[in-house]
Amino acid sequence: GQQVMQIPQYQHVQEGEDFTTYCNSSTTLSNIQWYKQRPGGHPVFLIQLVKSGEVKKQKRLTFQFGEAKKNSSLHITATQTTDVGTYFCAGQGAQKLVFGQGTRLTINP
Amino acid sequence: ETGVTQTPRHLVMGMTNKKSLKCEQHLGHNAMYWYKQSAKKPLELMFVYSLEERVENNSVPSRFSPECPNSSHLFLHLHTLQPEDSALYLCASSHSTSGIYEQYFGPGTRLTVT
């Protein structure tokens, strides 16, 4: 069945450092979504990528969708304490949206 | 955010109890979901409803029984649970079950089974 793997599982950085999480699918995706869950909160939709090779930016966040539409990444430039949380990717395959395991980001101020 | 509400927010129950979790969405969506979130499996899809019809059941034990009386309400009936069922139960909704639509999550019910 369709699987979505996300790495790393955990990442701890100093405030101001960059952060990247990677998402890889076992099958070609029609689109991929990214969500953020703050500690004690619930997942909140960030963005969706649809086109092969697509790159989207939201302030310090850069999202990429691979050319083969099987992988994606989220990069945060110059992290801030407000970036703390777990970032999930979710890939839409042939049948359903499958969530990755998430990357938990902690930041040392 | 009040688009998707869940009650109760916290629940402690014994293994012989029967309780229900409630979810309500105010977004006019046609699809609703139950997820289980624990340390071992961050987001585990349990059930999917589309227009009040169950379209997916991911091998969930029968001690969890979902109900969707209309497109705005979703329940999860619990009975004879096990301690390993302790987790955060998240409800979500989306325009449809097509993955091109984002999902809106409720705040969750933190369940502890004693």
Side-chain angles (χ1 to χ4, degrees):
Chain A
Q2 180 188 345
Q3 291 187 333
V4 175
M5 306 299 293
Q6 200 172 342
I7 56 170
Q9 189 175 358
Y10 303 97
Q11 184 76 58
H12 180 77
V13 301
Q14 289 289 127
E15 186 175 16
E17 291 181 339
D18 292 356
F19 159 77
T20 305
T21 173
Y22 301 90
C23 188
N24 294 288
S25 170
S26 57
T27 59
T28 301
L29 302 171
S30 57
N31 58 279
I32 194 157
Q33 299 175 358
W34 284 92
Y35 293 77
K36 176 184 178 181
Q37 183 174 18
R38 294 179 184 273
H42 56 276
V44 175
F45 174 79
L46 292 177
I47 207 161
Q48 176 169 263
L49 304 170
V50 179
K51 299 177 182 177
S52 169
E54 188 171 13
V55 177
K56 287 188 176 180
K57 292 190 175 185
Q58 289 181 349
K59 297 183 180 178
R60 294 177 294 102
L61 278 61
T62 302
F63 304 84
Q64 292 187 326
F65 201 9
E67 294 289 341
K69 300 185 75 174
K70 295 182 72 174
N71 57 72
S72 181
S73 65
L74 158 59
H75 180 82
I76 302 179
T77 304
T79 55
Q80 300 176 359
T81 54
T82 53
D83 297 325
V84 164
T86 301
Y87 293 84
F88 292 95
C89 64
Q92 170 69 36
Q95 295 178 334
K96 60 184 180 181
L97 194 68
V98 177
F99 280 82
Q101 307 96 308
T103 296
R104 183 179 174 187
L105 173 64
T106 54
I107 298 174
N108 207 20
Chain B
E1 299 177 15
T2 58
V4 181
T5 58
Q6 288 186 246
T7 55
R9 295 293 307 275
H10 300 271
L11 178 62
V12 179
M13 60 186 290
M15 289 189 284
T16 58
N17 292 159
K18 288 184 180 182
K19 297 287 185 183
S20 295
L21 309 185
K22 178 183 176 181
C23 175
E24 184 174 359
Q25 59 96 0
H26 312 272
L27 301 168
H29 289 163
N30 293 319
M32 296 188 77
Y33 312 79
W34 278 118
Y35 287 89
K36 176 183 177 182
Q37 188 172 48
S38 62
K40 291 184 178 180
K41 293 186 179 182
L43 267 178
E44 186 179 0
L45 180 64
M46 300 175 72
F47 301 104
V48 180
Y49 276 83
S50 175
L51 294 171
E52 302 142 43
E53 179 182 348
R54 190 189 312 178
V55 296
E56 188 161 339
N57 175 349
N58 279 342
S59 303
V60 180
S62 59
R63 57 185 184 269
F64 294 91
S65 175
E67 178 190 1
C68 188
N70 56 63
S71 59
S72 298
H73 294 85
L74 186 65
F75 295 89
L76 188 62
H77 304 299
L78 316 170
H79 64 97
T80 59
L81 293 191
Q82 305 298 312
E84 60 264 28
D85 297 322
S86 298
L88 179 68
Y89 288 84
L90 290 161
C91 173
S93 72
S94 63
H95 183 75
S96 80
T97 54
S98 168
I100 67 173
Y101 296 105
E102 66 265 33
Q103 295 187 14
Y104 292 78
F105 286 81
T109 294
R110 174 68 63 184
L111 174 67
T112 303
V113 181
T114 60

